[in-house]
Amino acid sequence: MLAAFALAMAGLALASPASAVNPAQVSGTVTSVDSGLPIQGVLVSLLGGVAAYGTSTDAAGLYSFASVDAGTYKIQFAAQGVTTESFVTQWWNNSLVQFYATSEVLNDGDIKSYDAQLATGGKITGTVTGNEGAGDFAINAFLQDPGNPANFLQQTFTMAAGDGTYTLRGMAPGNYHISFGDNDQGPSQTRYSLESWSNLWYPAGDIVTVVGLETVPDIDAELSVPGPVAVSRIAGADRFATSAAVWSDPLDYPDALGGTVYVANGRSFADALGAGPVAALTGSPLMLVEQDSIPAAVRTQLLRIAPAKIVMVGGPAALSVNLQNELGTLIFAPTVSRIQGVDRYDTSRELIRAGFDLLAPVDTLVVATGANFPDALSAGPASATRTNSPLLLVNGLGSSLDFPTLSIISEMDPGSIVIVGGTSVISSAMETALALTGHPVTRVAGADRYATSTAINAYFFTPAASKGYLAVGTGFADALSGAARAGAEKAPLYVTPPTCIPIDDMLAMRTYELLNLYLLGGPAALSADVESLYRC
């Protein structure tokens, strides 16, 4: 099915550190499979070793690397820069997807020759218009991963002409989603919203199938200028001040509110992840504290809200007895209790027993790894969209369910179980073990933490959501309290890189037509570019 990518190889290897006395050498020729003529301007890259290498083919189609570190590499031939833009970009060994490409080991002193022939691909054509006139329109084609049809990978990019017409060339045979957007980026530059064909974010959009060298015509789009989205930042001087700021709105959380406040250790994530969905059930604040003290900003917020009850989450190793005593002596004299287990997984189970009505039908049990935080950050608010639906943290890399986990699943008797995250965090063996409990099991996952976050929100939320939250996917500190607030408001929380918003998230938020977007944390966590809705 994949376009021809004929390879002639006398072996391949790459060398050792730049200081090596006898580094490896790699060279070859790139020609057209159709005409046999050399192709100039093909970018040849060696990727995956201790360093990356890139060069372009000359008029004779030749390329060479004179000094390469030893290591394991994959080779990419990127023909997008070729004037005709008609050749398919392919990975070495006839694979269009880097993941499936065969790796080669290069040793010091190796001299390797690697020739390739690139095939001409098909075309997709159409017209992009804007409902407010012209725009600098960009078109991206995302190729369906033949090994995992749920994944789509960017394969081809082009810009529309002044009249809105475009041609995507060099399309390998396969299935694609096509996205359209404004190419301008940065503060006050993006005019038109990102959309995919049929105005859906691309994993849910229509599929365009390319066969052979055919041209698929009339893949058109009309882009609109999005309505105003109010972007706000919730941040404090540190994680504890940010945690307090989440609950500072006097309208939603007024003075002398009473009720219950949950507190968890802000130096680790497991207890707060489990506590978020429980706090969200009653719209109760979740604040972060030190193991042995109440940070000043949190103390101020506690004094203002004056809860009747404070629930500590975690044992004395997480929240000390001294802290418990200090909380009990606050001037509003709260009742202080503790929910704890022997470890993070047991604490998660005890939180479910304390917060959810296990005598009533449990709609959905959401299962996430307790060893890391990104999947559970998005899953907590998502679980709040279902009636009486807990989030359970598990050791996802085990081969079977332990008795305490089996026991609580039996107590809940959920209508369904949803695993969030791929097999690298919750194994196939664990998925099988969950299915053996007799409940329908679905896995929701993406290629990485950001794609998984998008997939979770797409699975649980409907376009009725009017608020959304963004949290950095590389740290948990600012997001833990925000996840509890998002859950209380039944709003999606997306984890993003610190400097941009993934295209999936942009398209999904376009679908939801969010009116308010809240960034959790200061510019060190989510940059000014994220605040300006700069897309990755």
Side-chain angles (χ1 to χ4, degrees):
M1 145 137 182
L2 300 181
F5 186 42
L7 303 176
M9 175 177 132
L12 174 66
L14 298 180
S16 59
S19 59
V21 174
N22 190 20
Q25 301 174 47
V26 178
S27 62
T29 303
V30 182
T31 56
S32 168
V33 72
D34 305 301
S35 67
L37 297 175
I39 310 173
Q40 183 176 7
V42 174
L43 175 62
V44 184
S45 302
L46 306 180
L47 304 174
V50 295
Y53 299 87
T55 189
S56 295
T57 55
D58 61 17
L62 298 172
Y63 73 91
S64 65
F65 299 96
S67 179
V68 179
D69 290 343
T72 301
Y73 293 84
K74 295 182 179 183
I75 300 183
Q76 183 193 33
F77 293 88
Q80 297 294 308
V82 175
T83 303
T84 61
E85 295 183 344
S86 59
F87 294 101
V88 173
T89 297
Q90 297 199 357
W91 290 91
W92 177 69
N93 202 25
N94 231 12
S95 176
L96 292 171
V97 181
Q98 179 184 6
F99 178 80
Y100 300 109
T102 303
S103 299
E104 286 292 327
V105 177
L106 294 179
N107 299 303
D108 292 344
D110 283 345
I111 301 175
K112 302 295 182 179
S113 177
Y114 184 80
D115 298 337
Q117 290 182 303
L118 301 188
T120 301
K123 298 177 181 178
I124 295 175
T125 64
T127 302
V128 191
T129 56
N131 67 349
E132 291 194 358
D136 191 16
F137 298 127
I139 301 93
N140 290 276
F142 295 85
L143 173 69
Q144 189 175 47
D145 181 345
N148 184 356
N151 288 343
F152 287 81
L153 306 164
Q154 183 169 330
Q155 172 72 10
T156 309
F157 164 84
T158 194
M159 295 295 300
D163 61 358
T165 59
Y166 74 89
T167 300
L168 289 164
R169 297 179 173 87
M171 309 295 290
N175 296 324
Y176 293 84
H177 284 310
I178 313 299
S179 76
F180 304 88
D182 193 329
N183 191 54
D184 290 330
Q185 284 288 282
S188 303
Q189 290 184 339
T190 300
R191 181 180 181 192
Y192 288 99
S193 60
L194 284 165
E195 299 179 32
S196 74
W197 193 36
S198 296
N199 295 332
L200 296 170
W201 60 296
Y202 73 82
D206 293 333
I207 286 180
V208 179
T209 300
V210 175
V211 179
L213 302 180
E214 74 170 19
T215 296
V216 183
D218 303 324
I219 305 303
D220 303 329
E222 180 181 13
L223 303 186
S224 59
V225 176
V229 177
V231 180
S232 305
R233 189 184 289 274
I234 301 174
D238 58 22
R239 66 185 66 194
F240 304 104
T242 295
S243 168
V246 167
W247 313 103
S248 62
D249 188 336
L251 296 179
D252 292 332
Y253 307 97
D255 295 353
L257 174 65
T260 301
V261 168
Y262 291 79
V263 296
N265 190 311
R267 300 294 179 180
S268 59
F269 58 80
D271 293 340
L273 284 178
V278 176
L281 282 175
T282 54
S284 300
L286 166 65
M287 298 189 200
L288 305 182
V289 295
E290 294 280 17
Q291 190 263 348
D292 203 43
S293 63
I294 307 171
V298 173
R299 179 185 293 273
T300 298
Q301 207 62 261
L302 288 172
L303 293 173
R304 186 186 68 80
I305 293 175
K309 183 177 181 181
I310 296 178
V311 179
M312 303 170 63
V313 182
L319 301 176
S320 71
V321 174
N322 288 337
L323 174 68
Q324 185 169 357
N325 293 335
E326 184 180 357
L327 289 168
T329 58
L330 291 171
I331 58 172
F332 50 89
T335 300
V336 181
S337 61
R338 187 191 293 267
I339 298 174
Q340 69 179 78
V342 297
D343 58 20
R344 64 184 59 191
Y345 306 110
D346 193 34
T347 296
S348 173
R349 294 188 289 266
E350 292 306 312
L351 280 163
I352 291 172
R353 291 190 173 98
F356 289 86
D357 183 1
L358 300 189
L359 298 178
V362 171
D363 184 313
T364 305
L365 171 62
V366 182
V367 177
T369 178
N372 209 341
F373 60 89
D375 297 342
L377 277 179
S378 291
S383 68
T385 66
R386 305 285 178 90
T387 303
N388 204 37
S389 295
L391 170 69
L392 177 66
L393 302 182
V394 300
N395 176 5
L397 298 183
S399 58
S400 62
L401 298 173
D402 56 22
F403 178 77
T405 302
L406 285 169
S407 178
I408 196 165
I409 292 175
S410 177
E411 289 178 55
M412 288 185 282
D413 191 23
S416 64
I417 297 174
V418 176
I419 297 170
V420 294
T423 54
S424 64
V425 293
I426 296 184
S427 68
S428 297
M430 288 295 287
E431 182 175 358
T432 299
L434 287 165
L436 289 175
T437 64
H439 303 91
V441 176
T442 300
R443 185 187 291 271
V444 178
D448 56 25
R449 62 186 61 193
Y450 307 114
T452 294
S453 173
T454 304
I456 290 168
N457 289 318
Y459 184 86
F460 282 94
F461 286 90
T462 69
S466 62
K467 292 181 178 180
Y469 288 81
L470 295 182
V472 69
T474 53
F476 61 84
D478 294 327
L480 294 172
S481 292
R485 175 169 156 174
E489 296 174 347
K490 292 182 170 50
L493 183 150
Y494 294 90
V495 296
T496 78
T499 58
C500 61
I501 303 175
I503 188 172
D504 284 4
D505 292 356
M506 294 284 284
L507 293 168
M509 289 186 285
R510 165 71 176 83
T511 300
Y512 294 143
E513 296 183 348
L514 300 179
L515 300 178
N516 293 279
L517 185 62
Y518 297 94
L519 277 58
L520 298 170
L526 295 173
S527 72
D529 281 341
V530 174
E531 191 169 357
S532 299
L533 306 184
Y534 184 94
R535 71 177 183 266
C536 298

